[in-house]
Amino acid sequence: MLMPEIAKLGHVSLVTPNLEKSLWFFHEVLGLEITERSHNTVYLRANGEFEHHSLVLKAGDRAYVDHVGWRVKRPDDVEGFAHLLTKSGTEVKHLPKGHEAGQGDAIRFQMPTGHTFEMYYDVEKPKAPEEIRSVLKNQTYRSWNRGIAPRRIDHVNLWTSQNPGDAHAWLSEHLGFKLREYIRLDNGHVAGGWMSVTPLVHDIAVMAAPHAPTSARFHHVAYWLDNAQDVLRACDILREYGIMPDQGPGKHGVSQALFTYVKDPGSGHRVELFSNGYLIFEPDWEPLEWTEDEFELALCYWGPTEYRPHRDQHPMDETTEA
Amino acid sequence: MLMPEIAKLGHVSLVTPNLEKSLWFFHEVLGLEITERSHNTVYLRANGEFEHHSLVLKAGDRAYVDHVGWRVKRPDDVEGFAHLLTKSGTEVKHLPKGHEAGQGDAIRFQMPTGHTFEMYYDVEKPKAPEEIRSVLKNQTYRSWNRGIAPRRIDHVNLWTSQNPGDAHAWLSEHLGFKLREYIRLDNGHVAGGWMSVTPLVHDIAVMAAPHAPTSARFHHVAYWLDNAQDVLRACDILREYGIMPDQGPGKHGVSQALFTYVKDPGSGHRVELFSNGYLIFEPDWEPLEWTEDEFELALCYWGPTEYRPHRDQHPMDETTEA
Amino acid sequence: MLMPEIAKLGHVSLVTPNLEKSLWFFHEVLGLEITERSHNTVYLRANGEFEHHSLVLKAGDRAYVDHVGWRVKRPDDVEGFAHLLTKSGTEVKHLPKGHEAGQGDAIRFQMPTGHTFEMYYDVEKPKAPEEIRSVLKNQTYRSWNRGIAPRRIDHVNLWTSQNPGDAHAWLSEHLGFKLREYIRLDNGHVAGGWMSVTPLVHDIAVMAAPHAPTSARFHHVAYWLDNAQDVLRACDILREYGIMPDQGPGKHGVSQALFTYVKDPGSGHRVELFSNGYLIFEPDWEPLEWTEDEFELALCYWGPTEYRPHRDQHPMDETTEA
Amino acid sequence: MLMPEIAKLGHVSLVTPNLEKSLWFFHEVLGLEITERSHNTVYLRANGEFEHHSLVLKAGDRAYVDHVGWRVKRPDDVEGFAHLLTKSGTEVKHLPKGHEAGQGDAIRFQMPTGHTFEMYYDVEKPKAPEEIRSVLKNQTYRSWNRGIAPRRIDHVNLWTSQNPGDAHAWLSEHLGFKLREYIRLDNGHVAGGWMSVTPLVHDIAVMAAPHAPTSARFHHVAYWLDNAQDVLRACDILREYGIMPDQGPGKHGVSQALFTYVKDPGSGHRVELFSNGYLIFEPDWEPLEWTEDEFELALCYWGPTEYRPHRDQHPMDETTEA
C-alpha cells in the first residue's frame, strides 16, 4: 500500500465569541462567500475555491481554533493515516460523513503540541449562485465581488511553547511535510520552520512562543491575493471599515511573502493577507537555514522593523488558542 | 518499483541563427543571467532559479527547438522512464553526464508529434557571483538586477498539425501529465489542452495548428513574473528596446494567465511573460472543458480580441520549429 | 480685469435611450455614486470627487452628449467668458442657478465644431452619506466601495469631421487651453491635439474623424484610477458583468495613458479607464509634435496594434453624437 | 504688473560629506541620471524630467541642504519676487546665469525659519544621450533604465523648531503657496501644513520639530513613481543594495501618499519614494484640518504605526540641516 499523503490545506475551523461580528469581518470585509449555515456554524470560502469551505466560523464562549483541516490525496488515505497514527500512539477520533457540512468521513487527532488536526478526502464542490458566479470555468465566484476578495486559503501558522523543532520532526515523520526554511538561534534551538507537502513554501509553519500560556497557540491563517497591489488595496478597505492592520504591509525574507496581518475584531483570530512568495518544484530541496544574526532579514526583507529574536517582546505575541 | 515521475519543467534549448542578437534579447532585455558558455552555446537562468539553466541558446543555421528538458523526481526515474518508453516503442537515446553543461546522465526521445524531450535528475546549482547575488537565501540573483527580470521558467506551449488530443493522451499515459483544461470544437476535436504534473495549471500545453508545415511546432516558452504590474513594466522595457510585443497584455480565460507575448528578434522564438493564473491542489481535479462557443472567452478574458477558432487565420500562427 | 480662466473639467452630461441600463453601468459596474435624481436625470460622481457631480445621465430618445461642463476659476469668470465669447460672435445662453442640480449660474455655447460647452463657478459639495463616507477627510466616499471605483473624472476626447487644428486654435484663443501634444500628418493637417489648462496632459482632446456624419462627435470621457493594476482589475470586473472592453489595456505614446476603453451598454457612450500618464508643470512647455511616421507609437506605446492613420478604418470610429 | 508666481519645485541642492557614496545612492540605486559634473558638484534628474536637474549633490564637510530651487512662471518673476521680498525686509542675493549649471539668472534668500530658497526661470533642457533616450517624445530617458527609476521630483518637507503656522503664513503671503491640509494640536498650534502652487497636494510641507537643534531642518525630498507597486519594487532594490528603508511602505492620511522613506547612506539626507495621492483642481479649496485626535490617521492611513503627536519621540526625528 502507498503511504498516505496530504494533498492540501483544506480549512480552518475557528470558534468565536461574537459570531455576528466575525461573520461581518470574514464575509463583508474580507469578502469570503457563504456556502452553508447550520447550528451556529457558518461555512465560507474564497472566490477561487471549488471545495465546500476553507473557513468554518462557530459560535462559542471564547476564541479558539477548533481544528485545522487537511484534505488527503486518495480516498483510502483517511484510513491510512488513522492506522499509522494510532500505531504510533496518537489517539484518533472518527467522524462520520456530514459531521462537518459538505464533508465525508474524517478523522481528528492532536499533534504533540496539542493543536487539533482533521483529515478527510470527500468534499462537496457546490457551484456559486448564478448571480455571483464567475463567467470563468476555473473560478467559482466572479472576480472582485465583495470586500478584499482573496483567491484561496494558503497556509496556517501555529505557535507553541514547546520546542518547535520537535513539532517539525513530528510533522515530517507522521504527516509527510517537508521542511523548506527554518531559523536557528545561537543556542541551537530552532525558532521556527516552514513546511509543505505542495510547492508552496509552506502549508504550515510552527514557531516558538516560549512564554505562551499553552503549547497550542494559533498565529494566523493566510489567504492569497494575486498581486502585491491587491494587498495594498486590502489595507485601504480595512481602514475604511475601521480596522487597523495588525502588522504590515511588508515582505518577509523567509518565503518572500508580501504580507499584511489583521485580526478579526469579533474573535481576535489573526489573518494574513498575502501575495508574491515563491514556489518550490525542486525534488531535492535542502531546507534553508537562517541564523539568529539573520533573524531580522528572515522576518523582514522590508516593512515593519520591530521584530526581535526574543519573542516575549514580540509585537505579534498575542495569539489565540488553538 | 514506483512509477517514474516528472518533477518539473527544467529548461528549453533553443537554436538561433543569430546567437549574438538572441543573447542580447534574453540577457539584456529579458534579464536572464548567464551561468556558463561553451562551444557556441550559452546557458541562462532567471533570478529566482537555483538550477544550472532554464534556457540554452545554441548557434545554428536556422531557428528550431533542440529539446525541452524535464527534471525527474528521483535519480532512478531517468532510467525508469527510459525503460518504460523503450518498452512502449519509443526510441530513447542516452546522454552522458556533462553532455549538456551542469547536468548529469540524461535521456532524449521524441513524443509522437516529433517534439524532442530530455529527462535528467542531476543538475548543478551554482551560486550567483557575489556582486549580483541576492541578500535573500531563497533567491539566486538580487531582485530587479537586469531588464525585465522574471522569477522562473513556467511552461512550454507546443503546436502540432496532428490531433492534439492524441498528444494529450500520450503525455498522460507515458509521462504522467494530468489534463487540467481543454477546448473542444463542435466537430468533436480537441483544439488544445493544458497539462501539468505540478499544481501549475500547465507545465505543458499542446494546441492544434492544422496548417502548420510540420507536426512539431513550438509556440512559446513562458517565464513567470510576480505581479501583473511587472508584465506591464516588461512592455515598457520591450518598447524602449525597440521591440513591439507580439500580443498582449491580456488575460486568458484558460489558466487565467496575465500575458504578453514577444518574439526574440534573433530567432523568432516566442516568449510569454506572464503572471497571476491559479494553482490546482485538488487531488480529484476534473479537466475543464471549454466549447467552441466559449472559444473567445477561453483565450481572451480580456485584451487582444482577434482570436478565431479557425487557426489558419490566427495572428499567432507563426510558430518556430520544434 | 483679469482674463477669465477655466479651472477644471467639471462634468459631462450624457443623454441615453436606456437610462436604467446606463445607470446600472455607471453606478454598479463603474462604481460612480449617485448624489441626486430628478426629472429623468441622475447626477453621479467618483469616490474622490467633492463637487456635486462629474456625470449627468438624462433619459432621451437617442444617445448624444448634451454638454461638457467646465468650472471656472473665479465667480466673475462666468460672466467674463460670456462677455468675451459674445463679443467674438459666439451665441451664449444664460442658465439660472439650479437649472442643473447643485450648480449656480451658468452659460452654454457651442464651439465652432458644434460641441456644446457649459461654464459655471458655484457648485455644491455635498457630503457622502455616513455609511459610505471615507474615514479620510480628503476623500468623499470610502475606498473601493463599489465596482471599478475610479477616483475622479479626467478629460474628454472629442472628434470632429472639421479640421481639428482649427478647433485647437479656437480653444486656445477663446478658452485658454494650451496645446501639449499633437499629431501632424504628412499632408500638413493635424490629426489630433491634446490640450489643457491644468498640469494634466489633457483636459480635452480634439481628433480628426473625416468620415463622421457630423462635425460634433464624442469619443470618450475618461475617469482616473490610481494604479495601472486598478485598470486591469477593472477589466476583470467588466468581463464578469458581461461587458467586453472596447479596446485595451494598452499604453498610448501620447500622454503615456495606461488605458482601457469600454462602452456603456445602455447608450454606446465610451468611457476611458486610465492611469499613469505624466504631468506638465513647465511654464514654457513647447507642444510635442508626432509625425505620421510616428503615428503607431503615438497611439500605441504597447497594447492593441491595429491603429491606422486613415481613420475611416479605425476600430474606434464608432463615436456618439456630441 | 502681474504678481510674480512660482511654477514648480525645481530642484534641491544637497551637500554631502561623502560625494562618492551619495552619488552611488542617487545614481545607481535611486536611478537618477547625471546631466553634468563640475567642481565637486554633480547635477542629476529623473527619467521623466526635461529640465537640467532636480538634484544637485555637492561635496562638503558636513551634510546640509544648500538650497531648495523654485522655478517661476514668467521670466520677469525672478525680478518680481526679488523686488517684493526686498520690500518686505527679506535679504535677496542675485546670482548670475551659470552660477548653477544649466540655469539663468537667479535669486537666493532665506525664509524666516532659515531655510534657503532659490528662484530662477531660465533653465536648459538637455536631451538624453541617444543610447539611453526614451523612444517617447514626452519622456527624457528610457523607462526603467536604472535602479528605482522615479519619474520626477515631487515636493520637499521642511521641519522647524519655530511655530510652523508662522512659516505657512509667510509662504502664503510672500510666495503664493496655498494651504491644502494641516494638523492642529489641542493646544491650538499647527503641527504641520501641506502647501502648493500646483494641483499637487503639496509642493512643500513645513512641520513642527520642537526639539530640533536649529529652526531650519530638512526632512525629505520626494520623488514620484507611477504605481504603488513601483514603490514596493523600490523596497526590494534598496534591500538588495544593503539599505533598509527608514519607514514604510505605508499610506499617509494627509495627501494619501503611498510612501517609503530612505536615507542616502552618504549624507543622511532622507528621500521619500511615493505614488498615488490626489490632485486638487478646485479653485475654492478649503484647507482640511486634522485634529490631534486624528493625528494617527493623518500620518498613517495604514503602515508603520508608531507615530506620536509629541515629536521628541518620533522615529523620524533625525533630520538633516537645511
Side-chain angles (χ1 to χ4, degrees), chain D residues 170-185:
Chain D
W170 192 89
L171 287 166
S172 170
E173 186 182 340
H174 294 88
L175 304 189
F177 286 101
K178 284 165 273 185
L179 189 62
R180 304 307 201 165
E181 302 195 30
Y182 64 98
I183 298 171
R184 187 180 297 281
L185 300 178

Side-chain angles (χ1 to χ4, degrees), chain C residues 208-276:
Chain C
H211 301 275
T214 73
S215 63
R217 304 297 292 174
F218 178 73
H219 191 268
H220 66 260
V221 55
Y223 275 86
W224 166 266
L225 292 117
D226 286 351
N227 299 283
Q229 171 61 30
D230 305 336
V231 177
L232 303 188
R233 174 180 168 274
C235 293
D236 289 351
I237 290 174
L238 290 173
R239 208 42 155 119
E240 292 290 353
Y241 277 108
I243 302 167
M244 189 65 174
D246 184 48
Q247 278 277 324
K251 193 184 268 193
H252 294 309
V254 168
S255 87
Q256 296 189 31
L258 191 300
F259 67 89
T260 284
Y261 296 97
V262 58
K263 285 186 192 166
D264 161 26
S267 68
H269 291 305
R270 192 185 282 100
V271 175
E272 182 183 16
L273 301 166
F274 98 104
S275 187
N276 296 358

Side-chain angles (χ1 to χ4, degrees), chain D residues 40-308:
Chain D
N40 285 331
T41 304
V42 186
Y43 298 86
L44 305 104
R45 60 178 170 175
N47 63 24
E49 293 178 326
F50 298 92
E51 300 175 359
H52 186 271
H53 56 272
S54 64
L55 188 82
V56 185
L57 290 178
K58 297 174 71 164
D61 56 359
R62 60 186 176 82
Y64 66 94
V65 178
D66 188 72
H67 66 271
V68 174
W70 302 95
R71 191 168 180 214
V72 296
K73 260 205 177 151
R74 294 163 291 252
D76 288 350
D77 286 350
V78 177
E79 211 39 56
F81 272 117
H83 178 73
L84 289 179
L85 287 163
T86 303
K87 225 172 75 179
S88 74
T90 301
E91 190 176 347
V92 173
K93 196 164 110 188
H94 284 75
L95 299 171
K97 175 178 169 172
H99 180 271
E100 193 158 307
Q103 282 182 201
D105 294 336
I107 59 171
R108 284 203 194 152
F109 57 91
Q110 291 190 345
M111 56 178 289
T113 52
H115 294 90
T116 302
F117 284 1
E118 181 178 271
M119 283 182 175
Y120 60 98
Y121 176 80
D122 288 316
V123 64
E124 292 172 17
K125 299 184 176 177
K127 282 204 163 186
E130 205 169 330
E131 68 278 13
I132 53 172
R133 191 180 298 163
S134 176
V135 299
L136 293 171
K137 288 168 181 289
N138 47 27
Q139 188 168 309
T140 303
Y141 300 91
R142 65 183 188 205
S143 298
W144 309 109
N145 186 54
R146 178 186 295 280
I148 291 168
R151 176 178 289 277
R152 59 171 172 77
I153 197 171
D154 191 87
H155 66 263
V156 288
N157 186 308
L158 309 179
W159 284 27
T160 183
S161 56
Q162 296 181 8
N163 181 352
D166 296 342
H168 304 148
W170 192 89
L171 287 166
S172 170
E173 186 182 340
H174 294 88
L175 304 189
F177 286 101
K178 284 165 273 185
L179 189 62
R180 304 307 201 165
E181 302 195 30
Y182 64 98
I183 298 171
R184 187 180 297 281
L185 300 178
D186 291 346
N187 63 14
H189 286 296
V190 169
W194 288 256
M195 307 184 81
S196 64
V197 291
T198 68
L200 299 177
V201 179
H202 60 319
D203 304 311
I204 187 170
V206 184
M207 316 274 291
H211 301 275
T214 74
S215 64
R217 305 296 292 176
F218 179 73
H219 191 267
H220 66 260
V221 55
Y223 275 87
W224 167 266
L225 292 117
D226 286 351
N227 298 282
Q229 171 61 27
D230 304 335
V231 177
L232 303 187
R233 174 180 167 273
C235 292
D236 289 351
I237 291 175
L238 290 173
R239 209 40 154 118
E240 292 290 351
Y241 278 108
I243 302 168
M244 189 66 175
D246 184 48
Q247 277 277 326
K251 193 184 268 194
H252 295 310
V254 168
S255 87
Q256 297 188 32
L258 191 299
F259 67 89
T260 284
Y261 295 98
V262 58
K263 286 185 190 168
D264 161 25
S267 68
H269 292 305
R270 190 184 283 101
V271 175
E272 182 182 16
L273 300 166
F274 98 105
S275 187
N276 296 355
Y278 70 105
L279 298 174
I280 299 173
F281 296 111
E282 287 84 351
D284 54 350
W285 184 262
E286 287 296 325
L288 298 174
E289 178 177 296
W290 301 77
T291 65
E292 187 160 338
D293 271 359
E294 300 161 334
F295 203 96
E296 196 215 4
L297 177 59
L299 291 192
C300 181
Y301 186 43
W302 45 259
T305 54
E306 61 283 332
Y307 291 103
R308 295 174 199 86

Side-chain angles (χ1 to χ4, degrees), chain B residues 227-229 232-233 235-237 239-240 244-245 248-251 258 276 296-297 300-306, chain C residues 227-229 232-233 235-237 239-240 244-246 248-251 258 276 296-297 300-306:
Chain B
N227 299 283
Q229 171 61 28
L232 303 188
R233 174 181 169 272
C235 293
D236 288 352
I237 290 174
R239 210 37 157 122
E240 291 290 351
M244 190 65 174
K251 193 183 269 194
L258 191 298
N276 296 356
E296 197 215 2
L297 176 59
C300 182
Y301 186 42
W302 45 259
T305 54
E306 61 282 331
Chain C
N227 299 283
Q229 171 61 30
L232 303 188
R233 174 180 168 274
C235 293
D236 289 351
I237 290 174
R239 208 42 155 119
E240 292 290 353
M244 189 65 174
D246 184 48
K251 193 184 268 193
L258 191 300
N276 296 358
E296 196 215 2
L297 177 60
C300 182
Y301 186 42
W302 45 259
T305 55
E306 60 284 327

Side-chain angles (χ1 to χ4, degrees), chain C residues 81-216:
Chain C
F81 272 117
H83 179 72
L84 289 179
L85 287 162
T86 304
K87 226 173 71 179
S88 73
T90 300
E91 189 177 348
V92 173
K93 193 165 114 189
H94 283 75
L95 300 171
K97 175 178 169 171
H99 180 271
E100 192 157 308
Q103 282 182 202
D105 294 336
I107 57 170
R108 284 203 196 153
F109 57 92
Q110 291 189 346
M111 54 179 290
T113 51
H115 294 91
T116 301
F117 284 1
E118 179 178 270
M119 284 184 174
Y120 60 97
Y121 175 81
D122 288 315
V123 66
E124 290 172 20
K125 299 185 177 177
K127 283 203 164 189
E130 205 168 332
E131 68 278 13
I132 53 172
R133 192 180 297 164
S134 177
V135 299
L136 293 171
K137 288 169 182 289
N138 48 27
Q139 188 168 308
T140 303
Y141 300 90
R142 68 183 187 205
S143 299
W144 309 108
N145 186 55
R146 178 185 296 279
I148 291 168
R151 176 179 289 278
R152 57 170 173 77
I153 198 172
D154 191 88
H155 66 263
V156 287
N157 186 307
L158 309 179
W159 284 26
T160 184
S161 56
Q162 297 181 7
N163 180 352
D166 295 342
H168 304 148
W170 191 90
L171 287 167
S172 171
E173 185 183 341
H174 294 90
L175 304 188
F177 286 101
K178 284 165 275 185
L179 188 62
R180 304 307 201 165
E181 302 194 31
Y182 65 98
I183 298 172
R184 188 180 296 280
L185 300 180
D186 291 345
N187 64 14
H189 285 297
V190 169
W194 288 257
M195 306 184 81
S196 65
V197 292
T198 69
L200 299 178
V201 179
H202 60 318
D203 303 312
I204 186 170
V206 184
M207 317 276 289
H211 301 275
T214 73
S215 63

